[in-house]
């Protein structure tokens, strides 16, 4: 059984680049058996998306690799504008409708939250800045009211210096929860514990001792 143009060109480029079947399979996201089949098959009806991924991994144009063109070029992934231009009028309307749906869905997921300044993960920092900025954010956790920037390493490795965290206002904090606490006008981020009316604020980083209030 003779090889297809695709199989021949696929083998040629892999040999030029010194790429093994296992490596190409990993880059494309398929099993090695799939690449082996493509290298040996005379079948011309391979999965178009897989061919595109192979072409991208090998940096050759998919049209040449598949045998639809004679000129070999570097890989080019068509933009949405290129695809739109090749559609029929009915296809363009369908694409436009779906794109509008996705755009509206993304807009719905955006939420504006104020950035109220710094919270310490170490020594406390002074109270939140009343002149805050507002940011448009995606994937905002349910109930989040504002965001703060962490300063310090007392909550590492979970929360690192410079991280931006979401904060939800709540009248009650359970033992063991991470909370933003105002201690005499200084804002700090710690794990909260209360026993017999005594508040203990613990760091995750063991080099910081607990704060007792």
């Amino acid at each position: 059984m003779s090889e297809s143009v695709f199989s021949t060109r696929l083998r040629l480029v892999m040999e030029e680049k010194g790429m093994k079947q296992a490596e190409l399979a990993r880059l494309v996201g398929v099993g090695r058996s799939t690449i082996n089949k493509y290298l040996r098959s005379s079948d011309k009806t391979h999965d178009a998306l897989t061919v595109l991924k192979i072409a991208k991994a090998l940096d050759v144009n998919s049209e040449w690799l598949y045998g639809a063109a004679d000129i070999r070029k570097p890989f080019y992934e068509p933009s949405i504008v290129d695809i739109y231009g090749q559609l029929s009028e009915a296809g363009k309307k369908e694409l436009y409708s779906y794109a509008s749906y996705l755009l509206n869905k993304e807009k719905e997921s955006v939420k504006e939250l104020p950035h109220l300044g710094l919270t310490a993960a170490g020594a406390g920092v002074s109270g939140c800045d009343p002149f805050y900025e507002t940011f448009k954010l995606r994937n905002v956790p349910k109930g989040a009211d504002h965001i703060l920037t962490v300063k310090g390493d007392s909550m590492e490795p979970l929360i690192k210096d410079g991280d931006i965290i979401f904060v939800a206002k709540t009248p009650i904090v359970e033992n063991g929860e991470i909370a933003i606490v105002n201690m005499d006008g200084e804002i700090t981020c710690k794990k909260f514990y209360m026993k017999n009316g005594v508040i203990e604020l613990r760091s995750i980083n063991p080099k910081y001792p607990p704060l007792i209030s």
Side-chain angles (χ1 to χ4, degrees):
M1 180 173 59
S2 61
E3 293 182 348
S4 65
V5 174
F6 171 67
S7 297
T8 301
R9 291 180 175 178
L10 174 59
R11 187 183 304 278
L12 173 66
V13 180
M14 287 179 64
E15 289 176 353
E16 287 180 358
K17 295 181 178 294
M19 186 175 292
K20 304 297 184 182
Q21 293 183 31
E23 182 183 359
L24 182 58
R26 178 181 60 80
L27 292 173
V28 176
V30 297
R32 182 178 174 181
S33 60
T34 299
I35 302 300
N36 185 57
K37 181 185 72 174
Y38 282 8
L39 284 167
R40 299 178 182 277
S41 175
S42 61
D43 186 7
K44 297 181 180 180
T45 58
H46 299 303
D47 177 67
L49 181 58
T50 303
V51 172
L52 186 66
K53 289 180 178 179
I54 291 174
K56 184 175 183 178
L58 296 174
D59 192 27
V60 294
N61 53 318
S62 57
E63 297 87 357
W64 175 83
L65 185 62
Y66 200 64
D70 294 327
I71 300 176
R72 174 176 166 178
K73 300 177 182 178
F75 177 79
Y76 168 74
E77 190 166 5
S79 68
I80 188 66
V81 176
D82 296 328
I83 296 172
Y84 183 83
Q86 298 177 50
L87 293 173
S88 64
E89 289 303 315
K92 288 178 180 178
K93 289 181 180 179
E94 186 174 347
L95 178 59
Y96 181 83
S97 176
Y98 184 62
S100 297
Y101 161 75
L102 290 178
L103 181 60
N104 289 332
K105 186 177 180 181
E106 288 193 359
K107 286 181 178 179
E108 290 174 359
S109 67
V110 174
K111 184 176 180 180
E112 290 190 1
L113 289 181
H115 180 271
L116 300 186
L118 300 174
T119 179
V125 296
S126 58
C128 297
D129 185 354
F131 304 103
Y132 57 79
E133 293 182 88
T134 298
F135 291 86
K136 292 183 178 180
L137 303 167
R138 299 186 189 279
N139 302 318
V140 175
K142 186 177 180 180
D145 300 296
H146 59 274
I147 55 177
L148 292 170
T149 298
V150 174
K151 182 180 180 181
D153 64 351
S154 71
M155 297 301 282
E156 291 187 355
L158 181 62
I159 303 175
K160 296 180 171 57
D161 183 28
D163 280 355
I164 293 178
I165 58 174
F166 294 97
V167 182
K169 295 178 182 178
T170 176
I172 300 174
V173 179
E174 300 292 338
N175 280 342
E177 286 187 326
I178 294 176
I180 306 300
V181 182
N182 188 328
M183 295 184 61
D184 300 323
E186 293 189 338
I187 310 300
T188 188
C189 177
K190 292 288 184 287
K191 295 187 77 171
F192 176 92
Y193 293 89
M194 176 182 281
K195 185 176 181 180
N196 299 326
V198 177
I199 296 175
E200 181 179 337
L201 303 179
R202 300 179 189 172
S203 301
I204 294 177
N205 190 333
K207 76 177 184 180
Y208 290 90
L211 301 175
I212 307 297
S213 175

